[in-house]
Amino acid sequence: MATKEKGLYRRLRIAHENEEIQVFSSNNYLGLAQDERVKRAAIRAIEAYGTGSGGSRLTTGNLSLHERLESTIAAWKQKASAIVFSSGFLANLGTISTLMGPGDTIFSDALNHASIIDGCRMSKAQTIVYRHTDMRDLEEKLRSAPATGKKLIVTDGVFSMDGNIAPLPQIVELAETYGAWVMVDDAHAAGVLGKTGAGTAEYFGLSGRVHLAMGTLSKSIGAEGGYVAASEPVVEYLRNYARTFIFQTSLSPGVIGAALEAIEMIRTEPERRQRLLDNAAYMRAGLKEMGFTLVEGSTPILAVVIGAAERAVAFSRHLEERGVFAPAIRPPTVPEGSSRIRVTLTAVHTRTQIDRALAAFAAAGKELGVGALKF
């Protein structure tokens, strides 16, 4: 099979269960998925409400917990209202395809997440892809776009495979100049960026100028689900017309209880976020010192570019043999020739663990001859 020969074949793997293997690829950035307080909050919610919600939100599955979570998210994101979906993928899919349609125009960054791409396709709006974080290209495309219909600029806040931050101030300026709305996917920014961890808009001081603040509960928050925070009319419209909301079974009580506790901890314990960013800076500096090629950035996502897919797979295998789990990221997730090891740090990684990972990278690089390594 050609897919196997090119190193693109995928298999399910059991992660997190082997104590001899240290995971350096998790999106559990703050370590809250294993935090005792978060687990106890989930248990309390299950004891009070049961293990499942029993239906969709518009039938029998709307609990006071759901509404409390939405109010908490809205306040955190500095919006009037919020709506919770069963996953981040469903949040993007439903929001974009519901708010945009034929005759409208969407401007999407070239490296946006697959859920954004699929939402754009489902909307049947004209989708114009601009070069990654290229504001000159975005402006040219805005200038030449049809004058009729709604306009939406949609971007990841932190790009999931590169780890760089969207140039949101410039995006907002262009949106206001050309009459477009702005939607930011903060899946990898919530809990990581901003004074209270609210994400990219808070980081740049632009919370009031972003129309749609999307995020997930499954990464820094350590639970599962997705959300969109926006104005009350927009959220009310999504409640009534977004098919991925109407026809989904609502989030289970344990998930909501965990998310509520985690958001409170994120808001009030900035030291977790600082530990995370310090760990990321330490690992990035170590990899650069050894001569590895990294995408520039300052977030916990470190993209170590290897090149060919089969070479990245071999590199990942060598890391695992040395006790470090960091899978290869290959096409179609990233462009041809840019396969990589996507390293993610967490707030609960110790310096000893990070040093062990750096040693594994050094050994794998030396064995495979990757990059201009300095050993």
Side-chain angles (χ1 to χ4, degrees):
M1 181 185 296
T3 302
K4 287 185 176 179
E5 293 170 1
K6 294 178 181 177
L8 301 178
Y9 194 74
R10 289 162 169 79
R11 294 182 175 87
L12 291 174
R13 298 287 307 278
I14 302 294
H16 310 292
E17 294 183 9
N18 184 347
E19 293 183 1
E20 299 300 315
I21 302 291
Q22 188 64 46
V23 176
F24 272 84
S25 54
S26 171
N27 294 328
N28 181 26
Y29 296 120
L30 299 175
L32 294 180
Q34 283 79 38
D35 186 88
E36 288 301 320
R37 281 180 287 172
V38 175
K39 288 192 285 186
R40 286 198 299 271
I43 291 167
R44 287 196 300 271
I46 290 170
E47 288 174 341
Y49 295 93
T51 58
S53 65
S56 67
R57 293 282 299 282
L58 296 178
T59 56
T60 60
N62 187 45
L63 305 174
S64 59
L65 273 180
H66 292 103
E67 299 193 5
R68 182 180 159 203
L69 177 59
E70 288 171 338
S71 296
T72 297
I73 290 169
W76 187 37
K77 304 293 281 190
Q78 299 180 47
K79 296 296 175 193
S81 190
I83 180 171
V84 172
F85 294 80
S86 293
S87 74
F89 203 106
L90 291 176
N92 272 333
L93 203 66
T95 299
I96 297 170
S97 65
T98 301
L99 297 181
M100 305 298 285
D104 298 330
T105 307
I106 303 169
F107 302 86
S108 180
D109 188 286
L111 296 188
N112 275 342
H113 190 264
S115 58
I116 293 175
I117 295 169
D118 287 358
C120 292
R121 289 172 177 165
M122 282 185 59
S123 75
K124 296 183 170 58
Q126 179 184 12
T127 300
I128 298 174
V129 178
Y130 62 91
R131 288 191 296 270
H132 179 50
T133 66
D134 187 332
M135 295 298 96
R136 183 172 297 179
D137 187 47
L138 174 57
E139 182 164 22
E140 288 175 1
K141 287 176 164 59
L142 283 163
R143 189 184 297 120
S144 59
T148 57
K150 301 188 294 294
K151 296 181 180 67
L152 174 68
I153 303 171
V154 59
T155 182
D156 283 7
V158 170
F159 290 89
S160 60
M161 292 300 121
D162 280 16
N164 57 324
I165 303 171
L168 193 57
Q170 295 95 319
I171 290 172
V172 166
E173 289 290 340
L174 288 173
E176 292 173 353
T177 298
Y178 291 95
W181 275 27
V182 175
M183 178 175 178
V184 178
D185 177 343
D186 263 348
H188 295 273
V192 175
L193 298 179
K195 184 178 179 181
T196 69
T200 316
E202 184 184 54
Y203 177 76
F204 286 113
L206 296 169
S207 298
R209 296 166 71 184
V210 169
H211 303 85
L212 300 162
M214 178 270 171
T216 67
L217 306 173
S218 58
K219 297 177 176 63
S220 288
I221 294 171
E224 62 185 50
Y227 61 84
V228 173
S231 67
E232 181 60 47
V234 167
V235 169
E236 190 65 20
Y237 189 83
L238 291 173
R239 286 195 191 108
N240 283 275
Y241 294 101
R243 292 170 66 84
T244 59
F245 174 80
I246 295 169
F247 298 105
Q248 65 177 353
T249 296
S250 62
L251 290 172
S252 63
V255 166
I256 304 170
L260 282 165
E261 182 70 19
I263 292 171
E264 179 62 18
M265 292 169 68
I266 289 169
R267 288 179 57 252
T268 60
E269 298 177 11
E271 62 274 12
R272 289 178 178 269
R273 194 156 45 255
Q274 191 57 55
R275 277 200 306 274
L276 169 66
L277 297 175
D278 289 347
N279 281 347
Y282 182 80
M283 181 88 176
R284 182 180 291 274
L287 290 169
K288 281 188 170 182
E289 187 177 346
M290 290 187 286
F292 284 100
T293 300
L294 278 75
V295 176
E296 287 299 321
S298 58
T299 71
I301 301 170
L302 282 61
V304 184
V305 180
I306 304 298
E310 56 270 27
R311 207 170 192 201
V313 170
F315 199 102
S316 175
R317 188 166 55 248
H318 279 274
L319 289 176
E320 188 165 1
E321 288 169 358
R322 292 164 175 83
V324 174
F325 186 66
I329 305 298
R330 299 154 282 166
T333 308
V334 295
E336 290 282 350
S338 70
S339 292
R340 64 199 59 187
I341 304 299
R342 178 183 178 270
V343 178
T344 57
L345 278 297
T346 73
V348 295
H349 277 131
T350 66
R351 287 297 164 92
T352 299
Q353 290 168 340
I354 297 172
D355 286 338
R356 178 185 176 189
L358 288 169
F361 266 88
K366 185 175 183 179
E367 193 160 339
L368 294 173
V370 175
L373 302 176
K374 302 169 186 175
F375 299 114

